[in-house]
Amino acid sequence: MAEGFKIDQKHGKGRVRVSRVWRRVGGSGAGVGNVIVEWNVSVSLASDCLPAYTAGDNSTIVATDSIKNTVYAKAKECSEVVSMENFALLLSRHFTTFYPHVTAATVNIVEKPWERVVVDGRPHSHGFKLGSEKHMTEVTVNKCGALSITSGIQGLALLKTTKSGFEGFVRDRYTLLPDTRERMAATEVTASWRYSLEHVSEIPAKPFCFTERYEGAKKVLADTFFGPPDVGVYSPSVQNTLFLMAKAVLNRFLDIASIQLRMPNLHFLPVNLSSKENPDMVKFADDVYMPTDEPHGTIEATLSRTLSKI
């Protein structure tokens, strides 16, 4: 309480861009090469600094510039390659142990997708290109050790040219959309999954490979969307495909407690063009489309194991 008012407050530093290079990872032989990450880090601290708000007393405020400097200092201390989740854990635990009055720390990181290039069939030792989808994480650590780790993916663009339909939906006086069993299916998936770890004491002594789990979850999402490479899989709706994708991730990875998916339905509209002089200028035959993402359908859902929460 502050002068009869309830106040909830946090402070931190946003959009701290840091890149870390590890040189010649892997020793000699196959797989030798530099490793680079580029992270956009945001830190939010919950702390006992109410007098700063009510009386202008800054004696318990951790300067946001100091928070920024800590990000770079901790990146320097990581002599071995670390996942962004482990780096977020490192930062969160530092802020809640180094500063007595900080009660909780939340670290958000979005990773820029630098991917190793392949030249003449061989991975390049120090060459990278920018990919598309982004890896993201949010880690919160309380002073008591309570832990929450959520990771995910942004901008996973998926498209298939057939094996998609939509029929049997509500029809009323506002309905113009016809039933179909043949249409394009395209979306840009945003997925976030919560790990079952709930306390810092549960973190494995051997570093948990969050990066491997991210790559695995991304593959399961895409494979479920597309189906077998020769025949695919029919999608009766984005809703059904979303559910099957989320279920596949939970069935495959038991350390994931829940997953949330947002899948906008990006439309490819059939093109028919005609004029009085040329009535068949463009006659649609499952071949010419107008891509558009405005407006688009919005479909999202969260799938949790029993008694889980995201």
Side-chain angles (χ1 to χ4, degrees):
M1 300 293 292
E3 299 177 11
F5 299 97
K6 182 180 179 180
I7 179 170
D8 293 313
Q9 49 79 27
K10 294 180 180 179
H11 78 283
K13 199 73 165 182
R15 301 186 63 81
V16 181
R17 296 181 60 181
V18 57
S19 183
R20 180 63 158 95
V21 176
W22 291 274
R23 307 284 178 180
R24 312 304 296 179
V25 173
S28 58
V32 173
N34 297 342
V35 173
I36 184 173
V37 295
E38 182 180 340
W39 293 328
N40 193 322
V41 181
S42 295
V43 179
S44 179
L45 304 182
S47 62
D48 183 14
C49 61
L50 190 60
Y53 293 86
T54 59
D57 178 358
N58 299 332
S59 59
T60 57
I61 289 183
V62 181
T64 65
D65 189 67
S66 301
I67 296 173
K68 176 204 69 178
N69 295 340
T70 302
V71 173
Y72 293 112
K74 291 301 176 182
K76 173 67 176 179
E77 291 176 13
C78 293
S79 57
E80 302 292 333
V81 178
V82 295
S83 69
M84 57 190 288
E85 287 89 351
N86 279 317
F87 186 65
L89 274 167
L90 181 96
L91 287 175
S92 298
R93 297 182 74 176
H94 166 81
F95 286 118
T96 53
T97 56
F98 190 77
Y99 298 104
H101 55 286
V102 172
T103 56
T106 297
V107 177
N108 284 274
I109 304 179
V110 178
E111 183 170 16
K112 202 165 187 176
W114 290 110
E115 300 172 350
R116 191 177 304 279
V117 299
V118 176
V119 178
D120 295 332
R122 296 175 56 195
H124 201 281
S125 66
H126 56 271
F128 298 83
K129 65 181 178 67
L130 192 61
S132 53
E133 64 272 0
K134 295 180 179 179
H135 185 182
M136 59 185 182
T137 193
E138 178 178 286
V139 174
T140 298
V141 174
N142 292 330
K143 190 173 286 294
C144 66
L147 171 67
S148 172
I149 303 176
T150 300
S151 293
I153 188 167
Q154 294 176 341
L156 178 60
L158 305 175
L159 178 150
K160 56 185 184 180
T161 56
T162 188
K163 294 282 187 176
S164 175
F166 189 52
E167 57 186 338
F169 49 89
V170 173
R171 308 201 71 86
D172 54 37
R173 60 177 177 166
Y174 302 105
T175 304
L176 298 176
L177 187 70
D179 285 356
T180 182
R181 291 188 60 83
E182 178 56 52
R183 66 174 183 172
M184 299 265 277
T187 188
E188 192 169 282
V189 180
T190 298
S192 59
W193 51 87
R194 185 177 62 82
Y195 289 100
S196 55
L197 301 169
E198 295 184 346
H199 195 275
V200 293
S201 62
E202 299 174 13
I203 300 172
K206 187 177 181 180
F208 183 77
C209 192
F210 290 100
T211 302
E212 180 181 330
R213 182 65 74 250
Y214 166 76
E215 294 294 343
K218 180 170 69 169
K219 184 177 187 304
V220 168
L221 289 170
D223 289 355
T224 307
F225 177 87
F226 293 118
D230 51 346
V231 297
V233 61
Y234 180 71
S235 169
S237 66
V238 177
Q239 285 85 345
N240 180 250
T241 298
L242 181 153
F243 173 76
L244 295 176
M245 291 166 67
K247 184 175 73 169
V249 170
L250 292 183
N251 286 341
R252 175 66 179 83
F253 304 112
L254 299 182
D255 47 42
I256 293 178
S258 57
I259 181 169
Q260 181 184 72
L261 292 179
R262 292 196 299 273
M263 293 174 54
N265 190 4
L266 306 181
H267 303 296
F268 282 71
L269 305 179
V271 173
N272 285 291
L273 298 177
S274 63
S275 67
K276 188 178 295 185
E277 296 76 17
N278 187 358
D280 295 320
M281 183 187 305
V282 177
K283 189 172 180 62
F284 180 71
D286 293 332
D287 52 2
V288 180
Y289 301 82
M290 180 181 69
T292 179
D293 58 5
E294 294 179 351
H296 62 247
T298 58
I299 296 91
E300 61 181 271
T302 300
L303 199 63
S304 306
R305 302 185 194 281
T306 305
L307 302 180
S308 293
K309 60 182 183 298
I310 195 167

